[in-house]
Amino acid sequence: MKNKKTYLAEVYLNGQWMPPQEATVSVFDRGFMFGDGIYEVTPFYHGKPFRLQDHLDRLKYCLEQIKIPFDISILEPLMLEAISRSRLATSDAAVYIQISRGAAPRNHYFPDNPKPNFLMYAFPVELENFSGKRWKVMVSEDFRWQRCDIKSTALLANTMMKDDAISDGYNENLLVRDGYFTEGSHSTAFFVSKGIVFTHPEGPHILSGITRKVVLEICRDLGIGYKEEALALERISEVEEVFLTGTTTQITVVSSLHLKGKEIFTSQKGQITARLQEEFLKRTRG
Ligand code: PDD
């Protein structure tokens, strides 16, 4: 499962397209030294971006939150170019964007007049067939910081958790902070209890997922009841369905949840998840 290969033709770094092996930044880049940067992942279904404006709005919000000056109006044509240059216009792909604060003498405080390093590339991703996918998920303590709404490249906590999950034979983590489920290590969490869909409210403890927003829109449109309310770990026995969402995760069914090796949830029929998946496919492929 580990060390999957990713094929990359070209990357865009600070105004130029180049082979990845030629793309370099300073060792004093603050992204390298402090994780002082922002990233974004936007899906492209057969060459067409999905919810591009939402992804750009989130990127802008995150840049403002950490005070990196960057003009996002240049991004859309470059993202399309990344897709066509990587010959990904007729298959499914995603565009990765990363903006760090750039190189500066190592001080904790932000430098004056920063020169951000801007990296972008397109990569192939399988966005099909998620309806047959079922994930075995490990429940982990959410020991991340208190600004999970910022899509920061500083993902050490997320990567530590995910590595634990993969090493122990799980597909993803479901995180718990102060007794309540927050989200996955790289996905949004949803629960269905008595026919109502629950997901954690937006705020500093989760990333405002774009797929999350789409799923809630679908709930509204299909008349499925939902609550943006955190679910307590101790209420897991009242849950009938669990699913995780994200740009690459799409809508993935959780088959079972495991806390310290003990199974605490096994999925039942999953009718609501199936309806949401069906409608999500229509919207992303329409
Ligand atoms: N994950 N929460 C976290 C911590 C994430 O890293 C992600 C995204 C999400 C879902 O957000 P969105 O629906 O906007 O992708 C929630 C990466 C990008 C992914 O799974 O593709």
Side-chain angles (χ1 to χ4, degrees):
M1 194 130 194
K2 285 185 171 178
N3 300 328
K4 271 196 279 182
K5 270 192 200 151
T6 306
Y7 162 76
L8 276 186
E10 262 184 321
V11 303
Y12 182 87
L13 179 67
N14 296 330
Q16 276 184 308
W17 295 98
M18 58 189 86
Q21 60 274 21
E22 286 173 24
T24 55
V25 295
S26 163
V27 293
F28 292 105
D29 174 66
R30 290 180 58 98
F32 181 55
M33 290 209 139
F34 296 111
D36 183 356
I38 292 300
Y39 76 104
E40 189 56 56
V41 184
T42 306
F44 279 70
Y45 291 84
H46 284 254
K48 274 203 299 189
F50 182 64
R51 297 302 188 114
L52 178 60
Q53 197 54 50
D54 286 320
H55 283 275
L56 293 176
D57 288 348
R58 183 170 65 187
L59 181 64
K60 184 165 183 281
Y61 166 80
C62 292
L63 289 166
E64 283 168 3
Q65 289 300 301
I66 70 164
K67 300 184 188 137
I68 292 184
F70 189 84
D71 175 14
I72 64 155
S73 70
I74 62 163
L75 291 177
E76 186 174 343
L78 287 171
M79 293 167 84
L80 292 165
E81 193 177 344
I83 291 288
S84 61
R85 278 178 173 263
S86 298
R87 295 189 177 80
L88 291 168
T90 55
S91 54
D92 290 339
V95 170
Y96 179 82
I97 292 172
Q98 176 176 312
I99 301 158
S100 73
R101 201 178 305 276
R106 190 182 180 283
N107 287 305
H108 281 59
Y109 56 84
F110 298 163
D112 290 333
N113 307 314
K115 291 191 187 58
N117 277 321
F118 166 35
L119 168 71
M120 187 177 62
Y121 59 81
F123 62 99
V125 56
E126 270 179 41
L127 301 175
E128 309 254 10
N129 297 330
F130 60 85
S131 52
K133 220 161 69 176
R134 292 166 70 77
W135 276 358
K136 188 179 161 194
V137 172
M138 173 191 224
V139 176
S140 305
E141 189 202 336
D142 191 346
F143 56 80
R144 299 174 301 165
W145 66 336
Q146 303 276 355
R147 289 304 308 271
C148 300
D149 55 317
I150 297 176
K151 205 164 167 57
S152 163
T153 55
L155 287 173
L156 183 59
N158 306 58
T159 60
M160 286 169 70
M161 292 163 183
K162 177 79 184 194
D163 189 66
D164 272 351
I166 297 295
S167 301
D168 289 354
Y170 299 98
N171 301 102
E172 170 59 320
N173 314 74
L174 181 52
L175 312 181
V176 174
R177 191 191 287 260
D178 298 331
Y180 288 87
F181 292 111
T182 51
E183 59 180 340
S185 80
H186 59 90
S187 55
T188 304
F190 286 84
F191 306 86
V192 182
S193 178
K194 300 188 181 79
I196 305 286
V197 175
F198 286 81
T199 195
H200 197 286
E202 291 181 296
H205 290 161
I206 65 157
L207 181 76
S208 292
I210 309 304
T211 322
R212 173 188 185 280
K213 192 173 164 184
V214 176
V215 167
L216 294 181
E217 279 171 22
I218 294 175
C219 286
R220 272 199 294 280
D221 294 348
L222 299 188
I224 298 170
Y226 70 86
K227 285 188 181 161
E228 293 179 74
E229 206 176 283
L231 189 92
L233 170 63
E234 64 185 24
R235 288 185 56 198
I236 194 64
S237 58
E238 298 164 28
V239 169
E240 297 120 34
E241 300 173 45
V242 181
F243 59 94
L244 298 172
T245 71
T247 294
T248 53
T249 304
Q250 304 272 280
I251 300 179
T252 296
V253 171
V254 172
S255 57
S256 56
L257 284 175
H258 304 256
L259 175 64
K260 296 186 181 120
K262 189 173 159 250
E263 188 161 305
I264 58 163
F265 165 83
T266 314
S267 86
Q268 323 220 330
K269 257 191 274 157
Q271 278 169 351
I272 289 185
T273 312
R275 280 177 74 196
L276 294 169
Q277 286 178 322
E278 193 187 327
E279 185 59 28
F280 185 76
L281 268 178
K282 282 189 202 154
R283 294 186 187 201
T284 51
R285 303 281 165 193

